[in-house]
Each structure stands twice: as C-alpha cells, then as structure tokens.
Amino acid sequence: MAKGYWFFQATVRDMETYKKYIAADRVSFEKFGARYLVRGGEHQIVEGKARDRQVVIEFDSYEKALACYHSPEYQAAAKFRFASADSDVVIVKGVD
C-alpha cells in the first residue's frame, strides 16, 4: 500500500496563535500515526516560490493522510492555523 504525505508550507503571521495550532494538531497526528520527515529547518528556494516554513508529514497510507486532514480533531486545530498563518497543504499518494 502506498504511503500518504502532507506537503505543507506556511508563512506565520502570529506565532503565539500558531503555537496553539502546533499543540492542537498533535491529537490528530497521533491518532493517524503521522511522522514528521521535515519540520521547518534550513532551506533554499532554488526555483519558484515558497513560504517561510516547510513541513513534510508521512502517513502509513494515502487514505490515512486524507482521513487525518478531514477529521474533526484536525479541523479544530486548523482553526488556529487559519487565524495565524497563510498556508498551503497538498496531500500526495506515494509510490507503491
């Protein structure tokens, strides 16, 4: 079964509220077995445009990645993100 990945970029406008998002998203990530592969860190934009913060999260399956995003737990956490950052989230099915 192919793994699922979240590719997430954010430009944080309000760090105190964003910290609430980080604390709240743990509930859904633990429930769906998420693993951080990239979480912030040094990066270079070599082509195109990107936001300030880069995150890659791995799930055991594409279905779990989608279910996590649509879960009530994550949607409750996402309200803090919407209030504190401009962001993009893409969920991708990995290669079998």
Side-chain angles (χ1 to χ4, degrees), residues 7-15 17-18 21 49-55 69 74 78-90:
F7 292 89
F8 175 90
Q9 297 186 78
T11 300
V12 178
R13 298 183 315 274
D14 173 0
M15 186 51 80
T17 302
Y18 192 77
Y21 163 67
K49 297 178 183 179
R51 297 189 183 272
D52 298 335
R53 184 168 177 78
Q54 312 299 316
V55 179
Y69 182 83
Y74 183 76
K79 291 178 183 178
F80 293 115
R81 179 171 53 84
F82 299 147
S84 63
D86 298 316
S87 56
D88 303 300
V89 179
V90 178

